């Protein structure tokens, strides 16, 4: 039986571990961060992604940790309704909740935190720990994020660029505000383009909010939580009253400032006995809302072929052939949605849902 090292305990790495667990395949996870990562980051998961999650997380348990959004409403920054569209089982959940749910089926001894692993230049196909110890594994599944250091180790000529968009993401627990809105996806847009504020109700007292900035117009440097709060209040001062109220009443301990990167061109999804999944294989612009679903599908597909194929390279090749065409569609859609975001409202295509569908 193959031994697998999974590098990264984010959504893709933990999803992979869950699918491997189902098939009783030996694995171990290595994560360089601390176990508790409470950044205020969340996800929209379309119906297709939920179908994959149901295979590894009990549906009732999953539903208790998030919320189905009934419709998408697009507003001007002053609150005028621009467009409305019903949503088909789109689920909103915090990153922290989804990580906890994915980790519940993984034995603690199968995950090592605060451990950086690197490929060994002297022995091809081997990973080693920070102390120089080699990892005993036949396959390395790399899920260490969009700026994967292991991917860069193998594909030295790759080119990553900064996307013309940054995001601030946070969670607010406030029942009074939550009671004032429906279980919908609300998104406010500045008439000049390049600035939005999104609101997703997760439960009776919890709201996930995020703001998107054209980072050529709005410069957000890495700064303290208090300075970030002051900046947000200044930028969104004259918006619909709900927006500055949410900003004002939020706590900023776990606020997340996200600078977005993308690959100019996709690399191969595997090299020797290393295979890449999720953002490590294909960073997606957040406008697609397909990061979680793509990670789940990568993990499912790769596990399926590892079970079916005795030859590792054949399994990797089939995985790449299945997943790459769909990823290229999402990359294209993400760039279209980004270009729309940068335009003034009167030049944008009407009623665009910020979710990429293949």
């Amino acid at each position: 039986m193959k031994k697998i090292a999974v590098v990264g305990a984010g959504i893709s790495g933990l999803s992979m571990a869950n699918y491997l667990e189902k098939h009783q395949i030996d694995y171990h996870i290595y994560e360089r961060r601390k176990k508790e990562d409470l950044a205020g980051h969340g996800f929209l998961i379309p119906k297709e992604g939920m179908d994959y999650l149901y295979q590894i997380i009990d549906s009732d348990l999953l539903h208790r940790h998030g919320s189905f959004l009934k419709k998408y409403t697009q507003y001007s920054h002053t609150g005028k309704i621009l467009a409305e569209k019903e949503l088909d089982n789109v689920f909103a959940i915090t990153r922290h909740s989804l990580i906890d749910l994915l980790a519940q089926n993984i034995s603690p001894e199968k995950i090592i935190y605060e451990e950086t692993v690197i490929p060994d230049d002297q022995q091809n196909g081997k990973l080693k720990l920070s102390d120089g110890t080699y990892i005993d594994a036949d396959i390395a599944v790399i899920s260490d994020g969009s700026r994967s250091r292991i991917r860069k180790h193998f594909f030295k000529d790759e080119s990553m660029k900064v996307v013309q968009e940054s995001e601030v993401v946070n969670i607010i627990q406030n029942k009074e505000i939550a009671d004032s809105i429906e279980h919908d996806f609300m998104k406010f847009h500045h008439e000049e383009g390049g600035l939005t504020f999104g609101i997703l109700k997760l439960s009776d007292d919890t709201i996930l909010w995020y703001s998107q900035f054209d980072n050529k117009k709005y410069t957000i440097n890495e700064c303290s939580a208090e300075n970030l709060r002051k900046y947000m209040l200044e930028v969104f001062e004259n918006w619909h009253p709900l927006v500055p109220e949410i900003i004002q009443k939020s706590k900023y301990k776990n606020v997340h400032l996200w600078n977005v990167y993308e690959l100019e061109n996709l690399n191969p999804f595997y090299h020797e006995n290393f295979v890449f999944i999720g953002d490590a294989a294909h960073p997606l612009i957040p406008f697609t809302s397909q990061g979680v679903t793509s990670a789940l599908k990568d993990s499912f597909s790769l596990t399926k072929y590892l079970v079916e194929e005795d030859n590792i390279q054949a399994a990797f090749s089939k995985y790449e052939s299945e997943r790459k065409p769909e990823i290229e569609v999402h990359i294209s859609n993400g760039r279209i949605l980004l270009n729309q975001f940068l335009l003034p409202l009167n030049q944008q295509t009407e009623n665009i849902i910020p979710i990429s569908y293949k």
Side-chain angles (χ1 to χ4, degrees):
M1 183 65 72
K2 308 175 183 74
K3 290 184 177 180
I4 297 178
V6 179
V7 181
I11 301 301
S12 54
L14 289 174
S15 299
M16 186 74 197
N18 274 268
Y19 286 120
L20 293 173
E21 191 79 31
K22 284 187 67 174
H23 290 277
Q24 299 182 315
I25 297 175
D26 190 15
Y27 68 90
H28 206 97
I29 306 173
Y30 303 86
E31 170 58 55
R32 68 183 178 88
R33 301 181 187 275
K34 294 181 179 180
K35 183 176 181 180
E36 294 299 324
D37 180 3
L38 299 178
H41 186 189
F43 305 109
L44 283 176
I45 308 177
K47 181 180 182 299
E48 184 181 25
M50 296 299 288
D51 291 339
Y52 282 89
L53 273 178
Y54 293 148
Q55 297 182 48
I56 50 180
I57 299 175
D58 176 76
S59 60
D60 290 337
L61 180 61
L62 180 60
H63 295 167
R64 289 200 296 271
H65 285 80
S67 173
F68 283 101
L69 305 176
K70 298 175 182 177
K71 67 179 179 181
Y72 168 64
T73 306
Q74 184 185 47
Y75 297 89
S76 71
H77 76 279
T78 58
K80 177 184 177 182
I81 294 178
L82 303 174
E84 292 182 297
K85 190 169 181 63
E86 298 298 314
L87 294 176
D88 180 18
N89 289 310
V90 174
F91 193 70
I93 189 170
T94 66
R95 179 182 185 275
H96 182 57
S97 292
L98 187 54
I99 288 284
D100 280 352
L101 291 170
L102 288 169
Q104 68 180 353
N105 296 325
I106 310 303
S107 299
E109 62 268 19
K110 288 191 174 183
I111 307 180
I112 296 178
Y113 291 96
E114 298 183 71
E115 180 60 78
T116 299
V117 300
I118 58 173
D120 186 75
D121 289 323
Q122 305 304 316
Q123 295 195 44
N124 291 340
K126 288 289 186 180
L127 282 170
K128 62 181 181 181
L129 303 175
S130 53
D131 65 1
T133 303
Y134 286 103
I135 294 174
D136 180 21
D138 304 303
I139 296 169
V141 177
I142 309 303
S143 57
D144 59 345
S146 60
R147 303 186 73 185
S148 168
R149 289 178 289 180
I150 296 177
R151 185 188 67 224
K152 182 64 176 177
H153 176 88
F154 291 117
F155 306 113
K156 299 184 187 304
D157 294 333
E158 74 172 25
S159 175
M160 288 201 79
K161 68 177 183 179
V162 180
V163 174
Q164 195 178 334
E165 183 245 355
S166 298
E167 294 197 6
V168 174
V169 190
N170 206 354
I171 304 290
I172 177 173
Q173 286 189 299
N174 185 301
K175 193 170 189 312
E176 183 179 354
I177 295 177
D179 283 344
S180 70
I181 62 177
E182 300 293 330
H183 283 277
D184 295 331
F185 179 6
M186 306 166 66
K187 194 168 184 181
F188 296 84
H189 298 249
H190 197 282
E191 62 183 14
E192 295 179 2
L195 185 63
T196 68
F197 193 91
I199 300 169
L200 298 87
K201 185 171 177 177
L202 300 180
S203 70
D204 290 340
D205 68 350
T206 305
I207 294 168
L208 168 69
W209 63 260
Y210 68 98
S211 53
Q212 297 166 320
F213 298 81
D214 174 347
N215 51 32
K216 289 189 176 179
K217 285 184 180 179
Y218 304 92
T219 303
I220 308 177
N221 298 315
E222 198 69 39
C223 56
S224 70
E226 182 57 29
N227 285 341
L228 182 58
R229 175 179 172 275
K230 289 178 180 177
Y231 180 79
M232 295 282 294
L233 283 170
E234 178 183 328
V235 170
F236 292 98
E237 180 181 10
N238 296 318
W239 287 48
H240 183 277
L242 178 61
V243 175
E245 181 184 15
I246 287 174
I247 295 170
Q248 175 73 41
K249 293 183 178 179
S250 294
K251 296 179 181 179
Y252 286 76
K253 179 183 176 182
N254 297 313
V255 69
H256 183 64
L257 173 59
W258 187 8
N259 295 312
V260 184
Y261 297 82
E262 71 168 349
L263 284 168
E264 295 274 11
N265 297 292
L266 288 178
N267 298 308
F269 284 15
Y270 62 96
H271 177 83
E272 297 173 346
N273 63 324
F274 291 77
V275 59
F276 299 86
I277 62 173
D279 287 344
H282 46 72
L284 294 176
I285 294 175
F287 288 105
T288 63
S289 298
Q290 283 287 350
V292 171
T293 300
S294 295
L296 288 162
K297 295 182 74 173
D298 287 355
S299 302
F300 177 88
S301 173
L302 177 57
T303 303
K304 176 181 68 175
Y305 291 122
L306 289 174
V307 170
E308 293 176 355
E309 298 289 337
D310 292 327
N311 183 281
I312 290 173
Q313 296 300 307
F316 289 176
S317 178
K318 287 186 175 182
Y319 155 68
E320 180 181 80
S321 296
E322 178 180 308
R323 297 295 301 132
K324 197 169 187 178
E326 181 179 312
I327 293 301
E328 288 173 336
V329 170
H330 290 319
I331 289 173
S332 175
N333 288 347
R335 290 171 178 165
I336 291 170
L337 289 167
L338 171 62
N339 290 334
Q340 287 289 314
F341 159 75
L342 296 171
L343 292 173
L345 278 180
N346 60 11
Q347 296 180 31
Q348 293 184 17
T349 302
E350 291 185 3
N351 201 19
I352 284 192
I353 297 180
I355 301 174
S356 166
Y357 290 101
K358 62 182 187 293

